[in-house]
């Protein structure tokens, strides 16, 4: 028994009923249709949000045409229906040219740079490789540097003298039984006992040479000659006298022994008001100990030698070694000596007044612009020095790269939490930058400073200088460490002022 087939009229009735049901359903709630549907995908905004706007049966135009045409398989009167509206996205607009996602990131040190412990803060940070300025707050303002000045003194000495230069001390033979001890700025010349300058030449070495040269000829007068530069220029009036009495700084004369320390084995030791006279007296003792005839009863006088007959000579260790002794310990004595010797060897007179022009000429050879800097001394003790953080940061680009012998300075810089005057710093939260900051510290009554280079957390080499002016040392040091550690963490993403 076979299944009965519907009549043609019955088929047409059922098709009309099906169309009516579908249209009614769609009018109540549009839904996506797999067959014959159109899916419109709208990509909105830089965040990549998407919305499905519409997925429908045939478009209104298609629907109208289909329902207005009589069916070829039916004789029924055609029925016309209204077009079905196309759904649209609710409340969303699509930009003509939607922007892509942004890759910009920023990292600031604004909070750390605003700490009260920084006083009147000046700071400058740059990317050593690209030269891009990443941070500047009063960074172009020239100001007192403290012992950060010693980096400029070192760079000047390396440019003028060179790392292999040695500083001589000589003895000349004069008429009438006189000999002269002639200084050329070597403050490391030692009495021969304890010294803060290992490997320094000694008075005993000179005395032995004099004995060998004079034989039994007696010495009647010992001349102490410190006239390589004027002894009247030995003390800057802006230096506190306590620097000498406590023992941070001697009077700056071309002849002295053991940096004129009362205790030659102590870095900080009281100094005298007569380094030249003290050197003459110590040489008299060395001559007597060496058995030089008449030395024990010889008269010591201070004046310039009148002879060129050199009978004994010793020399300092190379300038590169002296820098390695000066920078980690922030030795003011060596700094002042290197400054004055650089002046003399460059053709100036060795005076403090000559230093600005001497430094400008020397520092310009490194490709930095030293115009506007004011140099009152080599150690940075004077509050009248004026060098901007901008200049220090630019010089440190050359230092970090080891340009033109400046690797000597780079190797001598204290390292955060590890060496020199930074050995005990960068603790607590700031310890994140231990071993990554290579910088010279500075400390005078009116300012605490730090300048050098940073190997940042992202691998970027940054150079910087930060000055905390007018705040106490107790407040300034942790604040300087904090802003430096924040700079280390930001690396090349640092921005702001």
């Amino acid at each position: 028994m076979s299944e009965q087939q519907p009549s043609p009229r019955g088929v047409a009735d059922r098709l009309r009923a099906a169309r009516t049901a579908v249209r009614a359903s769609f009018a109540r709630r549009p839904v996506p249709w797999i067959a014959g549907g159109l899916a419109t995908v709208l990509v909105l905004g830089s965040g990549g949000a998407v919305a499905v706007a519409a997925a429908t049966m045939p478009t209104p135009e298609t629907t109208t045409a289909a329902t207005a045409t009589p069916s070829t398989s039916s004789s029924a009167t055609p029925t016309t229906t209204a077009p079905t509206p196309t759904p649209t996205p609710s409340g969303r607009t699509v930009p003509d040219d939607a922007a892509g996602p942004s890759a910009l990131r920023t990292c600031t040190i604004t909070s750390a740079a605003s700490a009260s412990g920084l006083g009147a803060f000046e700071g400058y940070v740059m990317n050593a490789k690209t030269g891009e300025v990443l941070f500047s707050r009063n960074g172009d303002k020239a100001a007192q540097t403290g012992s950060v000045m010693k980096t400029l003194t070192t760079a000047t000495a390396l440019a003028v003298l060179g790392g292999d230069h040695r500083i001589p001390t000589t003895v000349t033979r004069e008429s009438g039984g006189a000999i002269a001890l002639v200084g050329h700025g070597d403050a490391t010349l030692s009495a021969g006992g304890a010294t803060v300058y290992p490997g320094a030449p000694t008075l005993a070495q000179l005395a032995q040479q004099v004995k060998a040269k004079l034989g039994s000829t007696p010495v009647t007068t010992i001349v102490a000659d410190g006239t390589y530069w004027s002894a009247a220029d030995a003390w800057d009036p802006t230096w506190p006298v306590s620097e000498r009495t406590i023992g941070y700084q001697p009077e700056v004369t071309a002849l002295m022994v053991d940096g004129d320390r009362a205790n030659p084995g102590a870095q900080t030791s009281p100094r005298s008001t007569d380094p030249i006279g003290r050197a003459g007296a110590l040489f008299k003792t060395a001559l007597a100990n060496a058995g030089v005839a008449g030395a024990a009863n010889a008269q010591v006088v201070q004046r310039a030698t009148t002879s060129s007959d050199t009978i004994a000579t010793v020399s300092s260790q190379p300038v590169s070694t002296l820098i390695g002794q000066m920078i980690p310990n922030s030795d003011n004595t060596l700094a002042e000596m290197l400054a004055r010797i650089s002046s003399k060897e460059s053709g100036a007179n060795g005076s403090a007044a000559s230093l600005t022009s001497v430094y400008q000429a020397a520092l310009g050879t490194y490709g930095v612009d030293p115009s506007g800097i004011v140099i009152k001394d080599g150690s940075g003790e004077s509050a009248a020095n004026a060098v901007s953080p901008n200049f220090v940061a630019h010089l440190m680009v050359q230092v970090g790269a080891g340009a033109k012998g400046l690797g000597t300075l780079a190797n001598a810089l204290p390292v955060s939490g590890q060496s020199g005057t930074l050995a005990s710093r960068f603790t607590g939260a700031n310890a994140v930058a231990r071993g990554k900051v290579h910088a010279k510290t500075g400390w005078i009554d009116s300012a605490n400073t730090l300048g050098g280079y940073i190997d940042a957390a992202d691998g970027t080499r940054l150079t910087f200088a930060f000055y905390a002016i007018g705040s106490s040392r107790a407040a300034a040091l942790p604040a300087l460490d904090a802003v430096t550690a924040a700079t280390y963490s930001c690396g090349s993403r640092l921005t702001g002022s």
Side-chain angles (χ1 to χ4, degrees), residues 63-228:
T63 303
T64 302
T67 55
T69 303
S71 173
T72 57
S73 59
S74 171
S75 60
T77 303
T79 303
T80 303
T81 59
T84 303
T86 303
T88 58
S90 57
R92 300 292 296 274
T93 59
V94 183
D96 293 335
D97 184 13
S102 172
L104 294 179
R105 300 178 67 184
T106 61
C107 183
T108 72
I109 58 173
T110 301
S111 178
S114 301
S116 60
L118 295 175
F121 179 62
E122 296 184 19
Y124 194 94
V125 182
M126 60 185 293
N127 185 315
K129 182 177 181 180
T130 67
E132 180 183 6
V133 179
L134 303 180
F135 174 91
S136 180
R137 181 175 297 181
N138 298 316
D140 296 329
K141 184 178 180 181
Q144 53 206 291
T145 63
S147 286
V148 170
M149 175 62 71
K150 293 182 176 72
T151 62
L152 278 68
T153 299
T154 296
T156 297
L158 288 169
V160 174
L161 307 175
D164 295 332
H165 181 82
R166 295 173 183 263
I167 308 164
T169 302
T170 60
V171 178
T172 60
R173 177 165 48 189
E174 307 212 336
S175 61
I179 61 172
L181 177 66
V182 184
H184 295 84
D186 181 15
T188 73
L189 180 65
S190 175
T195 177
V196 297
Y197 306 119
T202 67
L203 291 173
Q205 291 170 334
L206 283 172
Q208 290 294 336
Q209 292 179 50
V210 171
K211 170 65 175 175
K213 193 71 174 182
L214 295 182
S216 60
T217 303
V219 171
T220 60
T221 304
I222 299 169
V223 176
D225 181 356
T227 62
Y228 186 56

Side-chain angles (χ1 to χ4, degrees), residues 14-421:
R14 284 195 293 273
L15 285 174
R16 281 196 296 273
R19 288 195 188 98
T20 301
V22 167
R23 292 192 185 105
S25 173
F26 182 79
R28 289 193 303 271
R29 184 177 62 188
V31 295
W33 289 85
I34 297 175
L38 173 63
T40 304
V41 179
L42 302 180
V43 181
L44 303 176
S46 62
V50 296
V52 177
T56 69
M57 289 180 62
T59 61
E61 292 81 4
T62 304
T63 303
T64 302
T67 55
T69 303
S71 173
T72 57
S73 59
S74 171
S75 60
T77 303
T79 303
T80 303
T81 59
T84 303
T86 303
T88 58
S90 57
R92 300 292 296 274
T93 59
V94 183
D96 293 335
D97 184 13
S102 172
L104 294 179
R105 300 178 67 184
T106 61
C107 183
T108 72
I109 58 173
T110 301
S111 178
S114 301
S116 60
L118 295 175
F121 179 62
E122 296 184 19
Y124 194 94
V125 182
M126 60 185 293
N127 185 315
K129 182 177 181 180
T130 67
E132 180 183 6
V133 179
L134 303 180
F135 174 91
S136 180
R137 181 175 297 181
N138 298 316
D140 296 329
K141 184 178 180 181
Q144 53 206 291
T145 63
S147 286
V148 170
M149 175 62 71
K150 293 182 176 72
T151 62
L152 278 68
T153 299
T154 296
T156 297
L158 288 169
V160 174
L161 307 175
D164 295 332
H165 181 82
R166 295 173 183 263
I167 308 164
T169 302
T170 60
V171 178
T172 60
R173 177 165 48 189
E174 307 212 336
S175 61
I179 61 172
L181 177 66
V182 184
H184 295 84
D186 181 15
T188 73
L189 180 65
S190 175
T195 177
V196 297
Y197 306 119
T202 67
L203 291 173
Q205 291 170 334
L206 283 172
Q208 290 294 336
Q209 292 179 50
V210 171
K211 170 65 175 175
K213 193 71 174 182
L214 295 182
S216 60
T217 303
V219 171
T220 60
T221 304
I222 299 169
V223 176
D225 181 356
T227 62
Y228 186 56
W229 62 77
S230 174
D233 193 26
W235 191 262
D236 189 289
T238 66
W239 295 345
V241 174
S242 60
E243 294 296 288
R244 179 183 59 77
T245 58
I246 293 173
Y248 294 111
Q249 180 76 281
E251 295 198 0
V252 184
T253 57
L255 175 63
M256 67 175 68
V257 175
D258 290 311
D260 197 41
R261 291 171 173 83
N263 179 359
Q267 185 71 38
T268 302
S269 175
R271 319 295 175 100
S272 77
T273 57
D274 185 16
I276 298 172
R278 177 182 274 184
L282 289 169
F283 187 46
K284 175 180 176 176
T285 299
L287 290 168
N289 290 341
V292 174
N297 298 314
Q299 178 187 16
V300 178
V301 298
Q302 295 184 40
R303 61 173 172 80
T305 183
T306 58
S307 172
S308 59
D309 181 12
T310 300
I311 60 174
T313 302
V314 292
S315 295
S316 73
Q317 296 180 92
V319 163
S320 58
T321 299
L322 301 184
I323 290 168
Q325 295 173 340
M326 174 184 70
I327 292 294
N329 299 315
S330 202
D331 189 299
N332 295 324
T333 307
L334 290 178
E336 297 302 340
M337 296 300 161
L338 289 176
R340 301 301 187 90
I341 295 166
S342 295
S343 172
K344 285 289 292 186
E345 292 296 318
S346 67
N349 61 6
S351 68
S354 72
L355 296 183
T356 293
S357 60
V358 169
Y359 276 48
Q360 286 178 337
L363 295 172
T365 65
Y366 296 110
V368 295
D369 179 8
S371 60
I373 66 173
V374 176
I375 312 297
K376 294 294 185 179
D377 58 35
S379 64
E381 285 197 298
S382 176
N385 287 309
V387 179
S388 69
N390 176 327
F391 180 81
V392 174
H394 277 82
L395 178 62
M396 285 298 162
V397 173
Q398 304 304 312
V399 172
K404 298 184 178 180
L406 287 175
T408 297
L409 174 54
N411 292 334
L413 287 174
V415 179
S416 52
Q418 295 183 0
S419 65
T421 51

